[in-house]
Amino acid sequence: MNTKDILSRLSQVRGRGESWTARCPAHDDKSPSLAIRFKSDGRVLMHCFGGCAVDEVLGAIGLDMNDLFDDGPVQRGEQVKPAFYATDLLRIISVESLIVALSAIDISNGKPLSPDDLERLKLAAERILEATRYA
Ligand SMILES: [Zn+2]
């Protein structure tokens, strides 16, 4: 499975070389929260900062774990430690920070946040925290 085969199944794809982000196909992802790394050894690492498991993400685009590894199936129980470029993490953090900033502007203008906006604000905070764990 090459880079193009995988990326063509995703939307809002951005990045270059080994390092990409896209909308997560496994949840209702308004802003790209899926990070994808194509390692030079043929492995593909994926991580959804919205909390989806890799197999959920793959299932949503008709793939499974075997498609991520040129050298055959992953051993059951083998953990691939996600390792992402700072640029991926910064892209995610910048989008989420904008949501936090916009919420802050609304609040300071005396405009209360809707329940949806509040949920999105909480999600932004979670994603920023999650992204820093991978930095
Ligand atoms: Zn997801």
Side-chain angles (χ1 to χ4, degrees):
M1 180 90 6
N2 66 33
T3 307
K4 210 175 138 197
D5 288 337
I6 293 173
L7 294 179
S8 67
R9 293 164 190 255
L10 298 166
S11 64
Q12 286 190 28
V13 177
R14 289 184 59 188
R16 62 191 154 102
E18 289 189 6
S19 172
W20 297 81
T21 53
R23 279 184 55 203
C24 173
H27 74 272
D28 183 21
D29 198 9
K30 301 279 191 296
S31 60
S33 57
L34 183 68
I36 310 119
R37 280 283 300 282
F38 295 91
K39 304 280 285 179
S40 55
D41 61 9
R43 288 181 303 153
V44 183
L45 304 182
M46 278 189 187
H47 183 73
C48 171
F49 288 90
C52 300
V54 175
D55 54 355
E56 292 172 329
V57 175
L58 292 171
I61 54 173
L63 301 175
D64 64 35
M65 286 299 254
N66 295 344
D67 295 313
L68 294 191
F69 295 83
D70 284 348
D71 297 333
V74 198
Q75 296 301 307
R76 191 165 287 283
E78 181 186 345
Q79 283 291 325
V80 180
K81 189 170 177 281
F84 295 107
Y85 285 132
T87 48
D88 292 339
L89 299 169
L90 284 172
R91 202 176 296 139
I92 286 159
I93 288 171
S94 67
V95 170
E96 300 304 323
S97 301
L98 189 62
I99 287 161
V100 174
L102 292 172
S103 302
I105 289 167
D106 278 354
I107 293 166
S108 71
N109 288 337
K111 186 183 163 214
L113 295 179
S114 71
D116 281 355
D117 288 346
L118 187 60
E119 280 310 303
R120 189 61 189 85
L121 181 60
K122 286 180 190 166
L123 183 63
E126 281 166 23
R127 285 183 180 171
I128 291 168
L129 280 174
E130 176 79 3
T132 58
R133 287 195 197 104
Y134 289 86

